[in-house]
Amino acid sequence: MIRIGIIGTGGMARVHAEAFANIAGCELVAACDLNAARVESFAKAHNIPHTFETIEDLIASGYVDAVSIVTPDPFHKKLALQALEAGLHVLCEKPLALNALDAKEMTDAALKAKRINMVNLSYRNAHSLQKARELIAAGRIGNIRHIEASYLQSWLVSPKWGNWKTEDTWLWRLSSAHGSKGVLGDVGVHILDFVRFPVGEFASVNCTLMTFDKADNNQIGDYHLDANDSALITARMQNGAMASIHASRWATGNLNDLRLVVHGDKGAVKVSLKLDQDWNQLEVCLDEDVIDGVWKTIECQSTPNIYQRFVNSILSGKQEQPDFNAGLQVQRVLDACEQSDRLGQAVRL
Ligand SMILES: NC(=O)c1ccc[n+]([C@@H]2O[C@H](COP(=O)([O-])OP(=O)(O)OC[C@H]3O[C@@H](n4cnc5c(N)ncnc54)[C@H](O)[C@@H]3O)[C@@H](O)[C@H]2O)c1
């Protein structure tokens, strides 16, 4: 039995707890959060026997073999380095770090510690994305010419996920002083990986970031609302393809929608993900359907999710993907996007 501890018991931790509860070969034995009341109620809700307020106490207890780090982004690096140093396997939330330099330090530390390391690029759990990658690798769509990708959210407009004006879980995402890299770091990381994973590496990016006015003086309490909330990216891929990529929190009408269309010279694939729908349908335009532009839907086989792959990796000793190095590679693209926005020009990777 792999004994797992969750560090950070806010919004996303529930997803981790529910996922691990359904995986054979592991048990959730500890939860840790700086906020004592939150960690207690989380542990109670998920039947977790041990609670801690610091990672130091969690490590000293000797109760866990592995940790899932689900804190806000600025704490990922320190906590991951401490866990690796203590000989624990680590699943870390995305983005892996705040910049590529930190992500590299984490990747090197994981290699040195020889522990399983994974980053929760969770949209790789979509069976349709895995199938798209397989078709592209098999040459079914030929040479790739165009990619169109978007990650559209509307939580600055819709109260569906809660009130961003009063809840910490949203406010830290709007403030760079609280370690947020804005929509680019929050969900831009997912959509860039969504492109990279099936298509390959980026050659250059040209990015414009925008922070729209949203409160008096753009300040709520301690939170200065300066982090970007929309990103528009055009990119060239190393295989010569052109990409247009959009991420936004102001996409009214789209609660949490991802889309990827890849056009090759022999065919095309289209992945569309919405929260409440199955992620096993892929649209394809292949072979003779290219003549009339006919799209067909194929059902994709299910693949293990990242939580399952993390446990499999620990049990087998074989590192599965996405590992810290995958987190580092996408972090390099994020850094290049920020630099491009600052310079007002394209940046090569
Ligand atoms: N993979 C995904 O699809 C996905 C989705 C949502 C969030 N996330 C990521 O998950 C992470 C957490 O997001 P969230 O929405 O759950 O945040 P949140 O603000 O709701 O919760 C974070 C929790 O971490 C605790 N915390 C902060 N520093 C800590 C420390 N040093 N030690 C222990 N606990 C600490 C806070 O007290 C809080 O309870 C972020 O990195 C976010 O990007 C990923």
Side-chain angles (χ1 to χ4, degrees), residues 7-13 32-35 38 53 55 69-73 75-76 79 93-95 120-123 168-169 172-173 186 190:
I7 306 178
T9 58
M12 184 60 187
C32 169
D33 199 296
L34 300 176
N35 182 320
R38 197 172 294 160
E53 286 170 42
I55 187 177
I69 298 174
V70 203
T71 65
D73 313 351
F75 308 105
H76 293 176
L79 294 168
E93 264 307 339
K94 59 75 207 166
N120 199 18
L121 293 166
S122 47
Y123 290 98
D168 287 351
T169 190
W172 72 258
R173 287 173 160 81
D186 192 16
H190 281 306

Side-chain angles (χ1 to χ4, degrees), residues 43-62:
K44 202 164 159 211
H46 297 281
N47 290 319
I48 300 171
H50 304 290
T51 59
F52 301 91
E53 286 170 42
T54 66
I55 187 177
E56 287 79 8
D57 288 347
L58 170 66
I59 288 172
S61 74

Side-chain angles (χ1 to χ4, degrees), residues 123 148-155 161 183 187-188 190-191 229-232 245-259 273-275:
Y123 290 98
E148 181 200 325
S150 59
Y151 191 144
L152 303 180
Q153 296 185 320
S154 56
W155 57 266
W161 308 107
V183 76
V187 303
H190 281 306
I191 200 65
D229 35 40
S230 297
L232 271 180
I245 303 167
H246 184 203
S248 181
R249 297 164 167 171
W250 287 106
T252 311
N254 297 82
L255 288 179
N256 191 79
D257 301 347
L258 286 86
R259 175 183 155 93
L273 305 184
K274 284 181 185 285
L275 271 191

Side-chain angles (χ1 to χ4, degrees), residues 263-334:
H263 303 274
D265 61 3
K266 292 204 301 196
V269 293
K270 192 185 293 179
V271 182
S272 305
L273 305 184
K274 284 181 185 285
L275 271 191
D276 300 335
Q277 293 174 2
D278 284 343
W279 291 354
N280 52 2
Q281 294 195 330
L282 175 71
E283 288 178 81
V284 296
C285 177
L286 296 173
D287 307 321
E288 67 279 2
D289 285 338
V290 168
I291 298 168
D292 291 318
V294 175
W295 289 82
K296 291 184 177 144
T297 302
I298 56 175
E299 292 291 324
C300 309
Q301 268 192 345
S302 63
T303 47
N305 64 31
I306 287 179
Y307 310 97
Q308 177 75 65
R309 292 206 294 278
F310 180 59
V311 172
N312 290 352
S313 285
I314 297 171
L315 290 170
S316 69
K318 187 172 161 283
Q319 176 73 55
E320 293 206 31
Q321 291 298 317
D323 61 6
F324 276 16
N325 187 51
L328 166 61
Q329 297 315 319
V330 72
Q331 200 90 42
R332 288 190 166 129
V333 187
L334 290 171

Side-chain angles (χ1 to χ4, degrees), residues 32-278:
C32 169
D33 199 296
L34 300 176
N35 182 320
R38 197 172 294 160
V39 71
E40 288 307 327
S41 73
F42 182 83
K44 202 164 159 211
H46 297 281
N47 290 319
I48 300 171
H50 304 290
T51 59
F52 301 91
E53 286 170 42
T54 66
I55 187 177
E56 287 79 8
D57 288 347
L58 170 66
I59 288 172
S61 74
Y63 288 155
V64 296
D65 308 302
V67 290
S68 229
I69 298 174
V70 203
T71 65
D73 313 351
F75 308 105
H76 293 176
K77 177 184 163 189
K78 181 171 176 288
L79 294 168
L81 293 180
Q82 283 180 274
L84 289 165
E85 176 80 31
L88 304 178
H89 306 284
V90 180
L91 170 63
C92 183
E93 264 307 339
K94 59 75 207 166
L96 186 59
L98 296 184
N99 55 59
L101 215 62
D102 285 355
K104 174 84 169 66
E105 200 180 324
M106 294 164 76
T107 306
D108 290 347
L111 286 176
K112 188 168 163 227
K114 296 192 173 62
R115 286 295 175 271
I116 298 301
N117 53 96
M118 292 184 73
V119 58
N120 199 18
L121 293 166
S122 47
Y123 290 98
R124 288 199 191 185
N125 295 342
H127 317 312
S128 49
L129 184 71
Q130 298 280 344
K131 183 68 183 175
R133 183 177 197 249
E134 194 184 303
L135 292 175
I136 290 169
R140 291 295 305 280
I141 70 167
N143 298 305
I144 299 173
R145 300 299 187 219
H146 290 293
I147 300 138
E148 181 200 325
S150 59
Y151 191 144
L152 303 180
Q153 296 185 320
S154 56
W155 57 266
L156 287 171
V157 181
S158 158
K160 176 84 176 170
W161 308 107
N163 185 347
W164 64 264
K165 293 178 184 166
T166 56
E167 294 172 18
D168 287 351
T169 190
W170 300 112
L171 283 164
W172 72 258
R173 287 173 160 81
L174 299 170
S175 162
S176 48
H178 291 79
S180 174
K181 291 291 183 128
V183 76
L184 183 67
D186 192 16
V187 303
V189 63
H190 281 306
I191 200 65
L192 291 168
D193 187 67
F194 219 65
V195 172
R196 249 193 91 240
F197 180 58
V199 173
E201 296 300 337
F202 284 80
S204 66
V205 290
N206 199 336
C207 173
T208 302
L209 301 174
M210 184 69 89
T211 311
F212 292 96
D213 288 341
K214 50 179 91 59
D216 287 346
N217 297 319
N218 285 309
Q219 177 101 26
I220 294 181
D222 288 343
Y223 297 92
H224 181 49
L225 311 182
D226 61 343
N228 62 80
D229 35 40
S230 297
L232 271 180
I233 303 162
T234 54
R236 288 299 297 266
M237 308 304 291
Q238 285 186 8
N239 62 16
M242 298 170 77
S244 72
I245 303 167
H246 184 203
S248 181
R249 297 164 167 171
W250 287 106
T252 311
N254 297 82
L255 288 179
N256 191 79
D257 301 347
L258 286 86
R259 175 183 155 93
L260 171 72
V261 192
V262 186
H263 303 274
D265 61 3
K266 292 204 301 196
V269 293
K270 192 185 293 179
V271 182
S272 305
L273 305 184
K274 284 181 185 285
L275 271 191
D276 300 335
Q277 293 174 2
D278 284 343

